[in-house]
Amino acid sequence: MRFIFFFLISVAAIAAKASHIDSIPNQIHPLRPKTGSGGRHLAQINCVSWRLAVETNNFHDWKLVPLQCEGYVGHYMLGKQYRDDCYNVVVAAIQYAKTLKIAKDGKDVWVFDIDETTLSNLPYYARSDVAFGAIKFNGTKFDEWTREGKAPAVPGALFLYRTLLAMGIKPVFITGTKEEFRQIRIANLKKVGYHSWIKLILKGANDTGSSVTYKSGKRAELVKAGYRIVGNIGDQWSDLLGDFVGLRTFKLPDPMYYIS
């Protein structure tokens, strides 16, 4: 009941802010749809609907953000709405975690992805040569960015991490980041505030196949070792699908890229 009350209050507050914005003469919210409720129809993709389809996994295996939606995705990722959406996922995850009965054997774990889940690559994706995912992915350039070790924390992620640790739930990081970046990732994680974990699992040269297959296999190893996956959070559906996904999964927003 507390969660429902808190959620309704949060929704009411956001709605009140939106109502205030709409009441200001001649001001157009940057994320306002350009079709339907806007009063006219434009012969172009509805970027709001496209993002909804992406986040609900109704669009599979897409390669690029539609060029028409580069500005929309950029406004969303750099704006308040993205942060609000992340915080709402974190609140839901914490409220769920509070219902758990945590054992004292240190075997209750929460699986975290890294990219766009604990560390944000937004400074990279905001570059003009990346265009929030509207330009074809360049692995060489992305590796160069990763080597810098300057990724900030995803909004709300540190709060979730610290809350779970305080509750006795141990974090496990499973990432598609290549093994060669282990020390860089460790330094980056610690720099922004992630100071301890049970395991940090990176992708080795022998880890082939899809992300779903890879992460399912690593979670299976955790379970075989006696760990109980009580929660799992990621920005990609491939983080949350497959085998041994955990008791509950939580999806963070990410309309910039798709990993199968």
Side-chain angles (χ1 to χ4, degrees):
M1 290 299 293
R2 288 182 179 178
F3 171 70
I4 294 173
F5 176 77
F6 178 79
F7 181 78
L8 291 175
I9 292 296
S10 299
V11 171
I14 293 171
K17 291 180 181 178
S19 176
H20 173 67
I21 290 173
D22 288 342
S23 68
I24 300 174
N26 301 321
Q27 180 170 340
I28 300 175
H29 194 276
L31 300 185
R32 185 176 179 180
K34 294 183 178 179
T35 59
S37 62
R40 64 186 185 280
H41 179 79
L42 301 179
Q44 65 180 37
I45 188 170
N46 186 320
C47 297
V48 179
S49 296
W50 176 84
R51 185 172 71 84
L52 176 63
V54 164
E55 297 294 4
T56 53
N57 205 29
N58 288 324
F59 284 170
H60 289 191
D61 300 316
W62 53 276
K63 304 300 182 184
L64 294 171
V65 170
L67 190 59
Q68 306 98 307
C69 297
E70 175 195 346
Y72 169 81
V73 171
H75 278 298
Y76 171 74
M77 293 300 299
L78 296 174
K80 185 174 182 294
Q81 189 61 58
Y82 169 66
R83 284 149 184 77
D84 285 347
D85 290 348
C86 288
Y87 287 128
N88 272 304
V89 175
V90 166
V91 167
I94 291 173
Q95 291 297 329
Y96 155 72
K98 288 179 178 179
T99 69
L100 298 172
K101 292 183 178 180
I102 307 303
K104 296 182 180 181
D105 59 3
K107 293 291 187 177
D108 290 317
V109 300
W110 193 290
V111 173
F112 288 82
D113 174 49
I114 290 185
D115 294 293
E116 272 57 68
T117 301
T118 49
L119 295 179
S120 172
N121 296 303
L122 192 51
Y124 171 79
Y125 275 89
R127 288 169 23 176
S128 61
D129 59 339
V130 184
F132 299 101
I135 294 176
K136 185 178 179 181
F137 178 75
N138 185 312
T140 300
K141 289 183 178 180
F142 185 76
D143 285 351
E144 291 172 355
W145 153 253
T146 302
R147 285 190 185 93
E148 293 180 17
K150 295 180 179 179
V154 168
L158 268 173
F159 182 59
L160 174 61
Y161 165 85
R162 290 167 177 164
T163 302
L164 294 175
L165 272 179
M167 296 174 65
I169 301 173
K170 309 299 183 182
V172 171
F173 295 108
I174 303 180
T175 175
T177 302
K178 290 179 283 189
E179 179 65 36
E180 65 184 89
F181 295 109
R182 174 173 291 276
Q183 295 306 316
I184 293 171
R185 278 303 201 198
I186 289 174
N188 199 161
L189 286 165
K190 290 187 174 181
K191 181 180 179 180
V192 300
Y194 303 101
H195 53 79
S196 61
W197 46 81
I198 290 292
K199 289 182 179 292
L200 171 59
I201 301 171
L202 287 82
K203 197 168 188 177
N206 296 325
D207 292 318
T208 58
S210 69
S211 181
V212 171
T213 299
Y214 159 65
K215 294 201 170 187
S216 291
K218 298 305 180 184
R219 292 191 300 262
E221 292 174 8
L222 288 173
V223 172
K224 186 177 180 180
Y227 292 103
R228 296 177 293 272
I229 303 174
V230 298
N232 182 0
I233 187 167
D235 67 300
Q236 298 291 313
W237 282 100
S238 55
D239 299 327
L240 311 174
L241 298 174
D243 299 325
F244 304 100
V245 296
L247 296 181
R248 277 286 304 273
T249 62
F250 295 88
K251 169 74 169 64
L252 286 163
D254 182 3
M256 299 187 296
Y257 58 86
Y258 181 93
I259 298 176
S260 59

